[in-house]
């Protein structure tokens, strides 16, 4: 569940202010994950709201072309969503030491304006075994927060697996707003992606003592990461798996990734992959889809971590938001650091 948006990008790493043309594609965190999983052969459905016009239909067409079931998608009328527009974002692709830049134009989109109290969420979730949600959707407004919370509760009543990615966006809401809401979601989550934005107080009665995560660096070692994971699962014993990736960015054109995964009572560390970047957007979503795919296919815990990092690394070499890789063996070759030509 989430918003799919129109992405407009100047060609050849141009600056937006100098651009005379834009490439149009579609993406959005949850949509990217549905696309990635569908390409890997997972039966994936996507719920969103888009305006019943050519742009909305084009977004749905993209999803369907990647084997995503769009039966739950709502094509809204001007009466239901008065502004009647699809959310848009502009991506200025970075190069070398110049970072990429995103400008959102998604306020009053169809997804933002729709009244989700009209949706029969029991019916939407019926027949599915896994629900993925993220922290971007509730950042869009009160109706979207209600959608996320009610979906979480219904999913747990149905016995579904639930994964959640906090995915903080500073342009959409404040750090404290994000932590407050996303922490309310934790009792319903089975698979947690990332360790922020959530409150994990050292002392629930005395918040002035700080957060457990305050004591570890942005790029922790295995011991430091394990200590945080252990405190998460002690506070929330419903969590079955926690996964996060750690990024090293010597430049905007070359990054390295590794992952930590807590699963089955132990924390595992992946290999570190270094790669050149064609398109960084959606790299985190590819990591999430790699975790979900590996868990669904009952990979060994260490392989879960390595597969997800490999999936993310490959996405960085693909243009567009979603990881359209449909060859699991390719991801496994990268996971095992086998980069020879495949023939």
């Amino acid at each position: 569940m989430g918003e799919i948006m129109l992405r407009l990008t100047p060609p050849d790493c141009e600056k937006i202010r100098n651009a005379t043309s834009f490439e149009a594609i579609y993406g959005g965190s949850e949509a990217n994950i549905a696309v990635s999983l569908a390409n890997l052969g997972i039966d994936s459905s996507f719920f969103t709201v888009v305006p019943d016009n050519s742009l909305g239909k084009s977004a749905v067409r993209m999803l369907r072309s990647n084997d995503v079931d769009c039966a739950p998608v709502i094509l809204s009328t001007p009466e239901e969503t008065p502004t009647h527009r699809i959310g848009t974002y502009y991506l200025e692709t970075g190069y070398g030491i110049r970072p990429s830049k995103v400008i959102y134009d998604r306020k009053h989109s169809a997804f933002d304006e729709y009244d989700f109290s009209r949706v029969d969420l029991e019916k939407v979730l019926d027949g599915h075994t896994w629900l993925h949600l993220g922290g971007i959707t509730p950042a869009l407004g009160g109706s979207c927060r209600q959608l996320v919370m009610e979906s979480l509760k219904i999913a747990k009543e149905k016995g579904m697996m639930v994964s959640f990615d906090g995915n903080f966006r500073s342009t959409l809401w404040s750090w404290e707003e994000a932590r407050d809401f996303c922490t309310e979601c934790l009792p319903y989550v089975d698979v947690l992606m990332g360790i922020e934005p959530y409150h994990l107080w050292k002392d629930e009665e005395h918040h002035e003592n700080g957060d457990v995560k305050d004591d570890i660096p942005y790029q922790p070692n295995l011991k430091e990461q394990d200590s945080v994971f252990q405190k998460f699962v002690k506070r929330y014993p419903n969590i079955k798996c926690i996964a996060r990736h750690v990024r090293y960015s010597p430049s905007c054109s070359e990054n390295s990734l590794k992952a930590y995964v807590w699963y089955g009572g132990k924390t595992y560390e992946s290999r570190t992959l270094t790669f050149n970047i064609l398109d960084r957007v959606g790299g985190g979503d590819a990591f999430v889809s790699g975790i979900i795919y590996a868990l669904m296919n009952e990979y060994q815990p260490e392989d879960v971590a390595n597969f997800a990092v490999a999936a993310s690394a490959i996405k960085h070499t693909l243009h567009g938001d979603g990881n359209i890789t449909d060859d699991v063996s390719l991801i496994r070759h990268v996971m095992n650091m086998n980069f020879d030509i495949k023939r």
Side-chain angles (χ1 to χ4, degrees):
M1 294 183 170
E3 182 173 30
I4 188 166
M5 294 179 291
L6 171 65
R7 166 178 143 177
L8 298 172
T9 311
D12 302 321
C13 301
E14 288 183 12
K15 297 282 288 181
I16 289 174
R17 66 183 183 183
N18 297 329
T20 57
S21 63
F22 292 83
E23 181 184 23
I25 56 178
Y26 296 93
S29 180
E30 298 86 353
N32 298 341
I33 292 165
V35 164
S36 297
L37 288 169
N39 273 284
L40 291 174
I42 299 296
D43 186 9
S44 304
S45 299
F46 187 60
F47 172 79
T48 193
V49 178
V50 293
D52 188 3
N53 59 27
S54 294
L55 287 172
K57 291 174 182 176
S58 179
V60 173
R61 182 174 180 271
M62 183 281 292
L63 291 166
R64 286 181 172 146
S65 73
N66 282 280
D67 297 324
V68 176
D69 172 29
C70 293
V73 173
I74 295 172
L75 293 167
S76 65
T77 66
E79 290 73 30
E80 292 170 321
T81 54
T83 311
H84 207 53
R85 61 187 298 267
I86 192 169
T88 304
Y89 81 96
Y90 297 81
L91 173 66
E92 185 176 276
T93 306
Y95 184 81
I97 60 172
R98 175 168 61 87
S100 296
K101 175 183 177 182
V102 168
I103 298 174
Y104 283 122
D105 181 20
R106 61 197 299 182
K107 193 171 184 180
H108 299 301
S109 67
F111 189 83
D112 179 30
E113 290 187 338
Y114 195 81
D115 179 7
F116 290 108
S117 67
R118 303 172 51 177
V119 178
D120 184 349
L121 292 174
E122 291 272 0
K123 183 178 179 180
V124 170
L125 294 175
D126 191 38
H128 295 86
T129 59
W130 190 302
L131 171 66
H132 178 76
L133 292 165
I136 296 177
T137 299
L140 300 177
S143 180
C144 292
R145 294 181 199 187
Q146 183 180 0
L147 169 70
V148 169
M149 190 55 67
E150 290 193 12
S151 297
L152 286 169
K153 293 176 180 178
I154 293 171
K156 295 319 295 178
E157 289 173 1
K158 288 179 172 290
M160 298 171 64
M161 285 286 286
V162 173
S163 53
F164 190 89
D165 182 1
N167 232 350
F168 176 67
R169 295 291 184 269
S170 62
T171 55
L172 298 178
W173 58 352
S174 72
W175 183 245
E176 285 305 307
E177 284 180 305
R179 273 190 162 183
D180 287 346
F181 181 84
C182 291
T183 302
E184 291 181 30
C185 299
L186 288 177
Y188 305 96
V189 174
D190 298 292
V191 181
L192 183 64
M193 310 292 183
I195 60 172
E196 292 288 10
Y198 311 100
H199 294 300
L200 193 61
W201 303 113
K202 295 177 181 177
D203 186 336
E204 288 289 346
E205 303 299 324
H206 299 281
H207 294 178
E208 67 274 10
N209 292 337
D211 191 284
V212 169
K213 303 184 295 299
D214 295 340
D215 297 334
I216 70 163
Y218 180 69
Q219 297 167 333
N221 60 36
L222 178 62
K223 183 178 179 181
E224 291 167 332
Q225 189 60 72
D226 178 65
S227 68
V228 174
F229 285 167
Q230 296 292 350
K231 289 181 173 64
F232 261 109
V233 296
K234 183 178 181 181
R235 189 78 49 86
Y236 300 98
N238 51 287
I239 295 176
K240 300 176 178 67
C241 176
I242 312 176
R244 71 163 299 194
H245 68 268
V246 178
R247 184 182 296 271
Y248 304 88
S249 306
S251 78
C252 299
S253 301
E254 181 182 276
N255 280 190
S256 297
L257 281 181
K258 72 174 178 181
Y260 294 112
V261 171
W262 181 91
Y263 188 51
K266 182 180 177 181
T267 297
Y268 298 84
E269 182 178 7
S270 76
R271 301 181 181 93
T272 299
L273 290 180
T274 300
F275 46 86
N276 295 319
I277 299 174
L278 177 65
D279 190 336
R280 175 175 166 173
V281 176
D285 303 324
F287 174 79
V288 170
S289 63
I291 292 289
I292 294 172
Y293 179 88
L295 290 175
M296 282 185 164
N297 285 276
E298 300 181 349
Y299 283 21
Q300 292 298 310
E302 194 168 2
D303 288 342
V304 172
N306 283 311
F307 185 86
V309 168
S312 181
I314 288 174
K315 163 58 200 74
H316 286 76
T317 71
L318 298 171
H319 190 52
D321 268 36
N323 183 5
I324 59 170
T325 303
D326 60 358
D327 185 353
V328 175
S329 65
L330 172 63
I331 300 176
R332 292 187 68 89
H333 279 300
V334 173
M335 158 185 159
N336 293 318
M337 304 185 84
N338 177 4
F339 307 123
D340 197 10
I341 188 170
K342 307 300 179 286
R343 55 186 170 187

